Amino acid sequence: MPNASPSASSAPRRRLGLAVSGGADSTALLLLLADLREKLGFDAFVLHVDHGLRPDSADDARFVKRLAAAYGLPFHMTRARIVRRPRESLEMAARRVRLDFFSRMTRRLKLDAIATGHHADDVAETFVLRMARGAGPDGLAGLKRISHVGDLTFIRPLLDLRDAQLRDYLRRQGQSWREDSTNADLSIPRNKVRHLVLPWLRENLDARITEHLCKSAAILRGELQRPARAPEAGAQPNRAGTSCGGVPEAGARPFTLSIAPATGFEIRPQAIGTLPAVCELSRRALAGRTLAVRPWRPGDRIAPTGMGGRSRKLQDVFVTAKVPPEVRATLPVLVDADSGEVLWVPGYRIAEAAAVESATAPSWRLELRARD
């Protein structure tokens, strides 16, 4: 009897962008996915950004172009001119440029997602960096296998592999890669963690510190996917809410976040816990971020406007404002979905990092309502 199910060849092929810098991790990504594209039924497109920050960056671009051609993959690149905006680090500016390029390529090539070469060592480094900044569970959960930034979907198929494993794989394939000279610059915090902090911990505390940090991040990701329990309440609230990047997040009760373009900001008399609540956030500061609404959690902090960059525990904010326990139990906050940074406590203040620069600066007006 013939098989009545449609054949794999009749299914529409997915379209995947490969973010390839030429380093060992992204080179391994290209080789692995190029070999799997027919078996898994997807088309791959190599994407490269020449940031122009090193004299040899053009050589990286030529390397990636030749590599793509060797595997019969279309190659698309951009030569960027990195211009830092006020209060923007060089790393943030470069990330903004990459996201803009990936967004344009996603629309032009009709990509379903973009694959990156992030691996287990990146997860461990991110955990340490965010722990040093006092991040909450969202931030410590770190890099996710699938994440969203605006209209972009990122996948990270190498998260279970170590950097050394990827390099060994390339050596066995006889494949070279490019070394970024800036990876040795110890003035860059991630490099300091990679070359000094983690090796010291590995030698003096735990030889498997990287694996154990990755396990902790995975546990946190699993916990964040469960329905949250409101304090002083026995029942599990519904998972609901929204984000401007389209990523659902937990809420103590269903919420709707509306976002509209605006100019400048307004000062409004509001009380913590009173909805609807409205604020304006800097359009520049939100560029490239994915926002999410979730219940506040013990340990959450905010560095609000007017405090010179100092942060406060939300628990202390609520005690000072005499917010009743039953109101705190269902209180939502607006966070950066990737880092867990609290950007707005409705009815209180916004974070200094998201403040609108002036009365004429471009902004986003956010309105948070409880959904019936």
Side-chain angles (χ1 to χ4, degrees):
M1 180 177 177
N3 188 346
S5 63
S7 65
S9 61
S10 65
R13 291 174 68 91
R14 309 293 282 177
R15 298 170 70 84
L16 189 64
L18 311 183
V20 181
S21 67
D25 49 5
S26 63
T27 298
L29 175 81
L30 188 154
L31 267 64
L32 289 166
L33 293 187
D35 287 342
L36 289 172
R37 57 187 158 150
E38 292 307 321
K39 180 179 179 180
L40 298 182
F42 65 86
D43 294 321
F45 303 79
V46 176
L47 308 179
H48 177 79
V49 179
D50 180 356
H51 295 95
L53 298 176
R54 292 178 289 109
D56 59 350
S57 65
D59 295 333
D60 294 348
R62 285 189 285 270
F63 170 84
V64 176
K65 184 177 183 179
R66 288 195 299 268
L67 188 63
Y71 282 85
L73 299 177
F75 173 77
H76 300 270
M77 70 164 286
T78 186
R79 288 185 175 87
R81 179 171 176 264
I82 308 297
V83 178
R84 292 168 59 182
R85 295 172 177 172
R87 297 190 292 180
E88 185 178 54
S89 68
L90 186 62
E91 183 181 20
M92 289 173 60
R95 179 176 183 268
R96 172 172 49 79
V97 166
R98 284 196 302 275
L99 290 175
D100 179 67
F101 173 63
F102 292 154
S103 185
R104 285 188 280 115
M105 289 298 101
T106 293
R107 292 191 298 270
R108 182 186 305 174
L109 302 175
K110 296 181 172 56
L111 301 178
D112 296 292
I114 293 174
T116 71
H118 291 103
H119 46 72
D121 294 80
D122 293 316
V123 174
E125 292 161 12
T126 299
F127 191 100
V128 172
L129 285 166
R130 292 181 177 176
M131 180 175 63
R133 295 200 297 263
D138 289 292
L140 295 178
L143 299 171
K144 303 173 180 65
R145 206 167 293 280
I146 300 175
S147 66
H148 307 269
V149 178
D151 60 345
L152 298 173
T153 297
F154 288 96
I155 63 171
R156 301 178 178 90
L158 308 183
L159 282 188
D160 293 331
L161 300 174
R162 295 289 307 275
D163 177 63
Q165 291 176 296
L166 297 176
R167 290 169 183 262
D168 287 343
Y169 164 73
L170 291 176
R171 292 187 187 102
R172 291 196 303 272
Q173 299 295 315
Q175 176 62 58
S176 62
W177 62 87
R178 299 285 296 174
E179 290 287 358
D180 185 343
S181 58
T182 64
N183 287 338
D185 183 356
L186 294 183
S187 68
I188 299 173
R190 182 173 291 273
N191 291 342
K192 195 172 295 184
V193 169
R194 178 179 302 161
H195 298 301
L196 298 179
V197 177
L198 283 174
W200 188 92
L201 291 173
R202 202 170 288 124
E203 182 176 348
N204 294 279
L205 182 64
D206 180 0
R208 299 189 62 204
I209 187 67
T210 296
E211 290 87 344
H212 292 156
L213 290 175
C214 289
K215 181 179 179 181
S216 295
I219 291 171
L220 285 168
R221 286 195 296 273
E223 290 294 325
L224 291 172
Q225 290 171 0
R226 297 180 183 178
R229 281 188 186 273
E232 302 149 306
Q236 290 185 340
N238 295 328
R239 287 183 63 84
T242 186
S243 73
C244 68
V247 183
E249 273 289 342
R253 61 183 193 267
F255 297 102
T256 298
L257 179 66
S258 301
I259 304 177
T263 300
F265 58 92
E266 295 181 31
I267 299 176
R268 304 173 179 87
Q270 298 184 90
I272 298 176
T274 301
L275 297 179
V278 180
C279 79
E280 284 82 24
L281 299 181
S282 164
R283 208 178 299 183
R284 177 199 59 77
L286 294 191
R289 291 184 186 252
T290 300
L291 305 183
V293 177
R294 65 157 171 81
W296 80 280
R297 300 188 180 112
D300 277 345
R301 304 181 71 94
I302 186 171
T305 54
M307 290 193 61
R310 299 190 304 277
S311 66
R312 293 190 67 190
K313 289 183 179 179
L314 296 196
Q315 176 71 33
D316 295 341
V317 171
F318 301 149
V319 170
T320 301
K322 296 182 172 58
V323 179
E326 63 272 17
V327 174
R328 298 183 212 172
T330 58
L331 191 69
V333 292
L334 183 80
V335 301
D336 182 307
D338 294 318
S339 68
E341 178 186 7
V342 177
L343 300 175
W344 178 37
V345 178
Y348 175 58
R349 300 188 203 174
I350 63 173
E352 179 70 35
V356 182
E357 294 83 355
S358 71
T360 58
S363 61
W364 293 109
R365 178 172 290 116
L366 284 68
E367 181 177 31
L368 187 66
R369 290 179 174 273
R371 202 163 60 214
D372 296 330

